[in-house]
Amino acid sequence: MKRAVLEIDEERIGENVRKIYEFSKKKIIAVVKADAYGVGASLIAKILEPMKYVDSFAVACAEEGVKLRSEGIKKEILILGGVLKEEVPLIKEYGLVPVVSDDAHLEALKGHDIPFHVKYDTGMGRLGFLGKVIRDDRVAGVMSHLSSPANREFSLKQIREFEKIVELYGKLEKVHMESSAGLVYRVPFTTHVRVGLAIYGEKPLRDYPIDLKPALRLKARLISVKEVPEGFPISYGGTYRTKKRTRIGVVAFGYADGLMKSLSNKGYLLFKGKKLPILGNITMDMTIVELGDCDARVGDWVDIVNEERSFSALSRDAGTIPYEIMCNLSTRVERRVLRGGKRV
Ligand SMILES: *Cc1c(COP(=O)(O)O)cnc(C)c1O
């Protein structure tokens, strides 16, 4: 019996993928690196693989690709993070498609009949060739990455830069640039979009034009409910003192599960739509909340993220980004796929 659960709504995932396709009119390279941002790469890939809008998958490194293949994933798997020499045998054996973004990657692939994509740095300042174009019979696609999708002017500059490179190639099977936030640019010359976060219904920008629906709910159980007197210190360091007689609840979810300590004395959890302020320091396995007059009892579920409060909203309170919180969800949190509201 797990005390903390991440529920994954399969239908919502399907709807979001369809909406992304309908908005972009391009098939999706589903980015499931870092264990699908902590959601669970094999669960997510198995949900996505049968969908006609999903062209392929992308992961960070060969090892992640091998894991997906071992779970039975058949669609193409792109390795975003370059090629190290030692990874070439795995790439071959498991039929993975690497992205080449450095001369050393080309060198590693020398003499191997392995198709690859080429990445160009149009202003991301991370991976990608700069100032040269790779011509090779094995090139199966080209890509670039936007660094600041919220900055329209800079993004348009990157898009123009990429277009010039793409034109040099003539016909290419796959050209991709837009991530979840980048979708708003509807780049006319790309053939695919490379999307991760939006699949879960998390909106990566304010005024996001796609009506995504939250597909994730993160919940944990209440393990104690009690009243403490006025002026009572709460949690390590006693950084919070009750202002009056207070009903407090202890939730089985702490920083070891992935709740940022920066939310201590600041964030809130939710019970039936009511906000429960976090009191005192978040601890390793537990977080203390003010229950007020709500009727929550030991054993009840308290929500950390749900329909009303996304990972994006939580991350704003914590001073970080949704990706970081999701990636930090620990293995102690059970991942549970729901279909029609019921456990699969
Ligand atoms: C992670 C990643 C993506 C996906 O980004 P989202 O914001 O999750 O859609 C796309 N492209 C590259 C190169 C990435 O590293």
Side-chain angles (χ1 to χ4, degrees):
M1 179 70 223
K2 290 284 184 181
R3 293 173 165 211
V5 174
L6 178 70
E7 291 178 347
I8 303 154
D9 186 324
E10 195 178 78
E11 279 107 351
R12 284 282 173 87
I13 297 237
E15 285 165 30
N16 291 336
V17 164
R18 178 177 52 77
K19 286 175 185 171
I20 292 165
Y21 175 80
E22 282 169 358
F23 181 84
S24 67
K25 303 285 192 295
K26 292 168 201 165
K27 281 201 181 182
I28 294 157
I29 301 171
V31 182
V32 292
K33 66 197 182 204
D35 203 22
Y37 304 2
V39 180
S42 61
L43 290 179
I44 293 300
K46 282 176 192 166
I47 294 174
L48 295 177
E49 181 152 76
M51 295 180 186
K52 57 178 187 274
Y53 306 124
V54 175
D55 170 78
S56 53
F57 296 97
V59 293
C61 57
E63 204 182 326
E64 290 183 340
V66 168
K67 185 147 181 283
L68 286 183
R69 282 279 181 263
S70 316
E71 296 279 345
I73 296 303
K74 299 280 188 295
K75 283 186 173 170
E76 185 171 302
I77 300 174
L78 199 59
I79 311 295
L80 296 172
V83 197
L84 298 176
K85 233 186 182 67
E86 296 80 358
E87 294 170 334
V88 173
L90 283 182
I91 286 172
K92 227 175 191 164
E93 186 180 346
Y94 290 88
L96 309 173
V97 179
V99 177
V100 163
S101 53
D102 189 291
D103 288 329
H105 306 158
L106 277 176
E107 185 57 34
L109 291 173
K110 206 167 171 179
H112 293 282
D113 185 22
I114 297 174
F116 57 81
H117 292 202
V118 184
K119 185 168 192 176
Y120 291 97
D121 194 339
T122 55
M124 173 66 194
R126 193 174 64 177
L127 292 178
F129 290 101
L130 205 57
K132 78 186 223 186
V133 174
I134 305 303
R135 301 198 170 276
D136 190 297
D137 289 344
R138 296 168 295 174
V139 174
V142 297
M143 65 177 280
S144 189
H145 195 39
L146 296 168
S147 77
S148 320
N151 181 338
R152 189 162 183 88
E153 197 186 336
F154 189 76
S155 299
L156 292 176
K157 210 173 127 225
Q158 280 196 270
I159 292 166
R160 279 195 300 275
E161 201 64 38
F162 188 42
E163 186 172 20
K164 283 190 230 155
I165 298 165
V166 172
E167 280 169 355
L168 297 174
Y169 276 96
K171 183 135 181 63
L172 279 164
E173 199 186 320
K174 289 191 186 181
V175 178
H176 44 106
M177 183 178 213
E178 300 114 291
S179 59
S180 296
L183 287 173
V184 300
Y185 293 102
R186 297 173 126 146
V187 180
F189 59 88
T190 57
T191 61
H192 292 75
V193 293
R194 216 170 47 234
V195 172
L197 194 73
I199 291 171
Y200 309 106
E202 293 285 332
K203 297 184 183 174
L205 293 172
R206 261 173 287 159
D207 301 324
Y208 199 60
I210 312 175
D211 178 33
L212 304 173
K213 291 279 188 292
L216 301 175
R217 177 186 179 196
L218 179 61
K219 61 182 192 178
R221 298 187 90 184
L222 206 50
I223 54 172
S224 173
V225 172
K226 72 175 175 214
E227 273 196 9
V228 295
E230 180 186 335
F232 201 76
I234 303 292
S235 191
Y236 286 123
T239 57
Y240 182 85
R241 260 171 208 280
T242 51
K243 295 180 179 60
K244 55 180 191 308
R245 199 171 171 77
T246 304
R247 257 178 97 235
I248 63 167
V250 180
V251 180
F253 203 87
Y255 61 75
D257 301 287
L259 195 63
M260 328 305 261
K261 193 164 177 286
S262 61
L263 290 165
S264 298
N265 281 313
K266 199 165 141 211
Y268 61 89
L269 306 184
L270 290 148
F271 180 74
K272 295 183 182 163
K274 187 178 183 301
K275 290 182 182 180
L276 310 176
I278 294 173
L279 304 183
N281 279 325
I282 291 170
T283 71
M284 191 180 290
D285 311 309
M286 291 168 256
T287 295
I288 300 101
V289 293
E290 181 172 353
L291 292 174
D293 56 7
C294 83
D295 61 355
R297 292 185 201 182
V298 170
D300 284 346
W301 293 100
V302 169
D303 289 345
I304 299 132
V305 163
N306 63 17
E307 193 90 14
E308 280 94 51
R309 205 254 300 256
S310 61
F311 277 101
S312 305
L314 179 66
S315 73
R316 282 191 288 276
D317 291 345
T320 179
I321 51 175
Y323 306 83
E324 190 186 22
I325 301 191
M326 292 166 67
C327 286
N328 280 330
L329 292 177
S330 86
T331 52
R332 190 158 67 182
V333 180
E334 181 186 332
R335 276 72 170 166
R336 197 180 280 174
V337 177
L338 303 186
R339 187 179 301 151
K342 291 211 171 55
R343 199 170 171 172
V344 174

